[in-house]
Amino acid sequence: HLPYFSLSNAFARPGLTPRYSHYVKSVNNSPESRPAILKVAVNVPLSRAFDYLPPAGCPAPQPGCRVRVPFGARRQVGVVLGHADASDLAPGRIRRCSEVLDDEPLLRPADLGLIRFTSDYYHHPIGEVVAAALPALLRQGKPLHPVVETVFATALAASMDAEALATRAPKQAELLETLRDAGGNGMEADELTALLPNWRRAATGLFAKGLIERGEARAADFDESLVPAGTPGPELNKEQQAACDRLRDSKGFAAFLIEGVTGSGKTEVYLRHMQDVIETGRQVLVLVPEIGLTPQLVSRLRKRLGIEPALLHSGLTDTQRLAAWRAARAGAARLVVGTRSAIFTPLQNAGLIIVDEEHDPSFKQQEGLRYSARDLAIVRAKRLDIPVVLGTATPTLEMIQHCRAGKYQHLVLPHRAGGARPPHIRLIDTGRTPATDGISEPLAAAIRRHLEAGGQTLIFLNRRGFAPTLICSGCGHVAGCERCDSRLTVHARRQQLRCHHCGHVRPLDERCSECGEAVRPLGEGTERLEDALRARFSGRRITRVDSDSMQRKGAMSDALDEAREGSADILVGTQMLSKGHHFPQLSLVGIVNADQGLFGTDFRSAERMAQSIVQVAGRAGRADRAGEVLIQTAFPDHPFWSTLIDGGYQRVAAEALAERETTRWPPFTRLALLRSAAHRHADAHAFLELARRAVEARADDSLRVLGPVDAPMARRAGRYRAQLLLQSANRGALHDALRELRPLLEQDPAARRVRWSIDVDPIELF
Ligand code: ADP
Ligand code: ZN
């Protein structure tokens, strides 16, 4: 039993699902007539708001204010969603808030409206949606403008001889130097932690010597004027100008898909329009897949617009993140750039939302609140009556279909800007010319040719580690994960076997655990490719880019700088290398082992594979060099290849869309996936059986229920996993079913034995 079940403010009646929209209606802003019962969202996995009274003698805080409330035996931070004049609870049982945390609403009605929509659409508890929308410090109940610990160098430090300290205590010297450079106000403790993770140890000695002191200060505000004035961009070509004109002529809500081959100047088009919007005094929100991977976009925005963007991503300290959030909310930041969760950032005066690389799967959160930031961007723009611009070279079929249906406007940039030519794509048949350690002779020859001509090469393989499999040469036994139905990946640099699904790590076996014979790595990952390339091209500079090699903070931007300046001859890496980077020297892209997606079981396999190939191919020949793309495949006759090579992404997309229409997959139907995981196989299935029966008892035949079946990886991290798919051509029918289902599942005793989730518009089915 969840502990707060019996202790909390009672429950909604079974089957009664709260619809948050009705709270809005009951809000009344005139203080005299304000009803006294507060509907509060609390961060717990229950699909309802909770009733509280204001603290004794306090007026009711407005919707959007945070309150501290007793919840079970604990205290929790909650957000007031609205007021009501009646409660299901007996008057004496309604508890009081212990504290009102905000004088004015943190979240305004429009922000609360988006949160409610998200909760309703994704069938996710409102309290958890509110929590996802708030920066960590606010979630914890800290003030909007917190006072933070600071550390600064004292006057004594100014006159001291740093050289002597450097030899005796280098860590102390480093810290002191940093603080002396920071000046009189010193630095925030968080910021120091990000810079020198173990500074507190070094600080002890410096405090004792009176060289540094601790203080407190209001956390620094975001300052957008840190950069020089913007610089003008190139003159737009005809197609870019046409796209800009369409954007400028739109009024109110409109969704635009800018489909342009890589290098066609999409970013230039956004930049122009952003500039226009910012000049009218309105804010622009830009969503990007991963800021760490795209530092180039951020620096380009900064340089061109002459505005320091307020950044919202996981690489910041909590205080910095809050400062950016505060500036966005107050309207002090004109340009807000963030990853997925930035879609919830309050904006004082929003004028435009941009979603860059719309096709990128990282816009969809795959755990907890499973939302698509791309889809919410469209919803939010509509609610605010402003335009939203989605850009990509490889649009998702969902967006293409919306354009065909006339709901979104399709702006196409078919040519590369500035005269760069499209890359030439060719296949290498690994049946005829086998690959050794991942590299075939024709690919090796091409690399040599491009290197000699002064060009850079990128070798793409979406598999990190040394080899995906460790096999016994005696009995054929394959090293597997004890907790998952998966193989362990060989990581040679660290002499480890690792499970990429549950994180399990163990030392690399030297002998087979079954028969004692020698083992060998089978297949290749990026580490092995790196070694093979070093052996073949000794003397050349080779940089590997994957999540293993890029763990150090700043490693990615260093690697990108190197790549851009041309000081790396060969780049080898995973999809981290394919995202929006611009490498002027790059002339050859080699795609190794491209076959993983050809026979994929997911209905999105072809779409995904074409996206990933076209994205990485687009890195070749972006400036004045013609690009060449070589793809190694064991199945050169597979029709996918001729479609892609002759017709490009657009033909692959058109064919896939036609097939989806015939087979009734999205975007022609809507899906929701129920997942469950349990220590016992039977529990995982029994829970979904229950869900299936509940849905079938009420649904009409517009709703198809498929399963429950084992998940493709039936056991992961020690839990058995199962799934149930709901499908309908009618979005309303699907959502009605989920709306009825969710509270039933929350209250069913079987739910206590499983972890379960609802995934609306899932992007991974298998
Ligand atoms: P995309 O976002 O479509 O990949 P970018 O906007 O990054 O394309 O443009 C690719 C390259 O072409 C950049 O170096 C950019 O400065 C340049 N570029 C864009 N538009 C033009 C133009 N009209 N004339 C000349 N160069 C351009
Ligand atoms: Zn595992």
Side-chain angles (χ1 to χ4, degrees):
H1 224 81
L2 293 168
Y4 38 76
F5 264 49
S6 51
L7 299 167
S8 71
N9 279 327
F11 258 19
R13 288 186 297 276
L16 186 87
T17 319
R19 295 279 290 153
Y20 298 100
S21 32
H22 75 255
Y23 300 131
V24 208
K25 293 193 203 106
S26 58
V27 173
N28 182 330
N29 281 325
S30 83
E32 298 78 24
S33 63
R34 196 177 284 158
I37 295 165
L38 308 177
K39 294 284 180 184
V40 178
V42 182
N43 187 6
V44 293
L46 293 170
S47 294
R48 55 189 300 261
F50 296 86
D51 291 354
Y52 287 93
L53 296 171
C58 271
Q62 287 176 48
C65 290
R66 288 171 306 157
V67 287
R68 214 183 287 280
V69 296
F71 197 88
R74 291 176 298 159
R75 268 172 210 286
Q76 289 257 20
V77 175
V79 169
V80 178
L81 296 174
H83 301 162
D85 42 22
S87 169
D88 289 344
L89 295 174
R93 291 203 53 207
I94 307 179
R95 301 168 81 176
R96 284 194 182 279
C97 302
S98 46
E99 194 183 346
V100 175
L101 295 171
D102 300 303
D103 301 336
E104 57 171 317
L106 276 190
L107 299 167
R108 289 176 280 246
D111 307 320
L112 287 175
L114 181 69
I115 287 171
R116 274 189 210 100
F117 173 89
T118 306
S119 168
D120 283 345
Y121 185 83
Y122 292 104
H123 300 275
H124 199 81
I126 184 101
E128 293 189 354
V129 180
V130 169
L134 290 178
L137 294 174
L138 297 180
R139 205 154 60 221
Q140 295 156 16
K142 299 272 166 43
L144 179 59
H145 208 144
V147 170
V148 295
E149 178 191 0
T150 60
V151 186
F152 55 91
T154 60
L156 187 59
S159 60
M160 101 145 250
D161 172 19
E163 301 266 310
L165 187 63
T167 44
R168 272 183 296 120
K171 294 278 175 203
Q172 291 189 12
E174 189 184 12
L175 175 59
L176 191 62
E177 204 51 42
T178 309
L179 290 174
R180 285 211 297 209
D181 289 348
N185 294 330
M187 282 175 76
E188 292 178 8
D190 280 13
E191 237 178 308
L192 265 181
T193 306
L195 207 64
L196 308 170
N198 295 317
W199 69 272
R200 283 183 197 274
R201 204 173 312 149
T204 319
L206 295 176
F207 282 131
K209 292 176 207 146
L211 293 171
I212 63 173
E213 262 175 44
R214 223 184 282 274
E216 276 193 340
R218 251 163 92 88
D221 266 320
F222 165 79
D223 181 358
E224 70 165 24
S225 62
L226 293 170
V227 289
T231 49
E235 196 174 320
L236 297 183
N237 63 32
K238 209 165 83 262
E239 286 129 356
Q240 288 172 314
Q241 192 58 56
C244 277
D245 292 345
R246 290 271 293 279
L247 292 173
R248 187 171 309 123
D249 293 344
S250 79
K251 294 269 176 303
F253 169 73
F256 295 92
L257 173 66
I258 303 190
E259 175 175 4
V261 296
T262 35
S264 60
K266 293 181 292 295
T267 313
E268 230 17 87
V269 173
Y270 314 148
L271 277 164
R272 269 337 130 97
H273 195 55
M274 287 161 75
Q275 215 154 20
D276 287 355
V277 172
I278 289 172
E279 270 166 24
T280 65
R282 306 188 79 180
Q283 292 169 286
V284 176
L285 173 64
V286 182
L287 296 183
V288 295
E290 280 153 276
I291 285 188
L293 299 188
T294 50
Q296 289 176 4
L297 176 69
V298 173
S299 67
R300 195 163 156 199
L301 292 174
R302 190 182 281 136
K303 279 190 202 126
R304 284 291 312 284
L305 301 172
I307 295 176
E308 179 64 30
L311 297 182
L312 287 151
H313 61 94
S314 55
L316 303 174
T317 69
D318 285 349
T319 326
Q320 289 168 333
R321 218 181 132 88
L322 178 55
W325 194 90
R326 204 163 53 228
R329 175 182 170 278
R334 289 176 289 173
L335 175 59
V336 180
V337 181
T339 44
R340 191 169 63 215
S341 66
I343 188 57
F344 296 111
T345 313
L347 297 165
Q348 159 77 30
N349 186 15
L352 172 68
I353 304 178
I354 288 172
V355 182
D356 192 32
E357 309 293 359
E358 159 290 300
H359 66 278
D360 198 296
S362 64
F363 285 122
K364 173 86 192 222
Q365 179 147 305
Q366 302 278 27
E367 59 193 23
L369 169 60
R370 290 166 166 78
Y371 66 101
S372 158
R374 190 248 348 246
D375 293 347
L376 287 180
I378 298 164
V379 169
R380 187 170 182 191
K382 194 164 192 172
R383 299 175 68 96
L384 295 173
D385 199 29
I386 60 172
V388 54
V389 177
L390 310 151
T392 174
T394 54
T396 53
L397 300 195
E398 280 80 358
M399 295 302 122
I400 296 176
Q401 181 55 27
H402 280 310
C403 290
R404 288 191 179 178
K407 286 167 66 185
Y408 299 175
Q409 301 189 47
H410 202 170
L411 308 176
V412 182
L413 303 178
H415 307 297
R416 288 190 161 187
R421 277 162 293 159
H424 182 66
I425 302 184
R426 261 188 317 127
L427 298 179
I428 297 173
D429 179 355
T430 50
R432 297 227 314 264
T433 50
T436 327
D437 289 337
I439 311 281
S440 65
E441 270 319 311
L443 179 57
I447 297 174
R448 206 165 294 123
R449 196 157 28 80
H450 281 262
L451 287 176
E452 275 159 18
Q456 216 173 28
T457 293
L458 187 162
I459 302 292
F460 173 77
L461 172 61
N462 215 0
R463 200 153 61 189
R464 63 198 171 87
F466 186 81
T469 305
L470 186 70
I471 190 167
C472 169
S473 23
C475 70
H477 173 77
V478 166
C481 179
E482 282 156 30
R483 308 172 65 219
C484 307
D485 292 334
S486 75
R487 295 172 171 192
L488 293 170
T489 300
V490 180
H491 284 255
R493 304 282 185 277
R494 293 172 175 253
Q495 290 290 297
Q496 285 171 340
L497 285 172
R498 291 200 209 166
C499 176
H500 287 184
H501 303 281
C502 72
H504 175 72
V505 179
R506 66 176 164 93
L508 191 54
D509 304 329
E510 282 173 16
R511 311 241 131 228
C512 175
S513 58
E514 302 295 304
C515 73
E517 285 290 309
V519 288
R520 66 189 170 86
L522 188 68
E524 59 278 331
T526 46
E527 284 187 359
R528 189 174 216 164
L529 275 181
E530 181 190 4
D531 291 355
L533 291 164
R534 281 192 197 287
R536 279 176 187 261
F537 302 99
S538 61
R540 293 294 187 169
R541 286 152 308 178
I542 297 171
T543 307
R544 176 166 59 93
V545 175
D546 56 31
S547 55
D548 298 321
S549 67
M550 293 293 124
Q551 282 187 345
R552 179 178 60 80
K553 200 175 172 177
M556 187 66 189
S557 64
D558 292 352
L560 291 177
D561 285 347
E562 260 181 57
R564 208 169 28 240
E565 287 153 15
S567 63
D569 297 315
I570 304 178
L571 299 161
V572 48
T574 58
Q575 96 294 348
M576 282 178 101
L577 270 179
S578 70
K579 299 197 171 185
H581 310 303
H582 178 58
F583 306 129
Q585 311 296 319
L586 188 70
S587 56
L588 173 67
V589 167
I591 300 178
V592 171
N593 193 351
D595 297 336
Q596 288 156 345
L598 280 183
F599 305 100
T601 41
D602 195 300
F603 67 88
R604 283 195 178 84
S605 297
E607 177 188 353
R608 281 285 168 71
M609 182 163 168
Q611 285 167 347
S612 110
I613 289 175
V614 169
Q615 289 291 341
V616 67
R619 304 306 125 210
R622 291 189 37 128
D624 46 355
R625 287 168 186 278
E628 186 175 0
V629 177
L630 294 176
I631 302 177
Q632 291 185 168
T633 173
F635 306 94
D637 299 327
H638 193 289
F640 174 85
W641 295 121
S642 54
T643 310
L644 181 67
I645 292 170
D646 301 340
Y649 181 78
Q650 290 188 324
R651 175 116 32 106
V652 174
E655 287 188 6
L657 204 52
E659 193 181 314
R660 300 249 194 113
E661 185 159 22
T662 334
T663 52
R664 308 305 294 155
W665 282 110
F668 300 95
T669 53
R670 298 274 172 172
L671 300 179
L673 193 65
L674 251 75
R675 294 190 179 87
S676 71
H679 289 293
R680 292 183 7 204
H681 183 266
D683 288 341
H685 279 259
F687 178 76
L688 293 182
E689 237 354 287
L690 182 103
R692 184 180 63 79
R693 283 198 303 273
V695 172
E696 283 179 346
R698 292 160 196 244
D700 56 27
D701 30 332
S702 68
L703 193 71
R704 254 176 49 158
V705 185
L706 299 127
V709 294
D710 279 348
M713 183 180 293
R715 202 169 54 99
R716 182 169 173 169
R719 283 191 167 79
Y720 290 92
R721 305 153 75 231
Q723 57 192 40
L724 181 76
L725 188 65
L726 308 187
Q727 183 180 34
S728 180
N730 175 349
R731 177 148 80 182
L734 183 68
H735 281 267
D736 287 346
L738 292 169
R739 195 170 296 119
E740 291 194 11
L741 185 59
R742 170 105 211 175
L744 291 181
L745 296 181
E746 277 179 10
Q747 288 156 39
D748 198 278
R752 281 178 239 141
R753 290 191 289 271
V754 300
R755 286 187 185 168
W756 62 280
S757 63
I758 295 177
D759 189 352
V760 175
D761 305 331
I763 63 165
E764 304 284 358
L765 282 196
F766 296 102

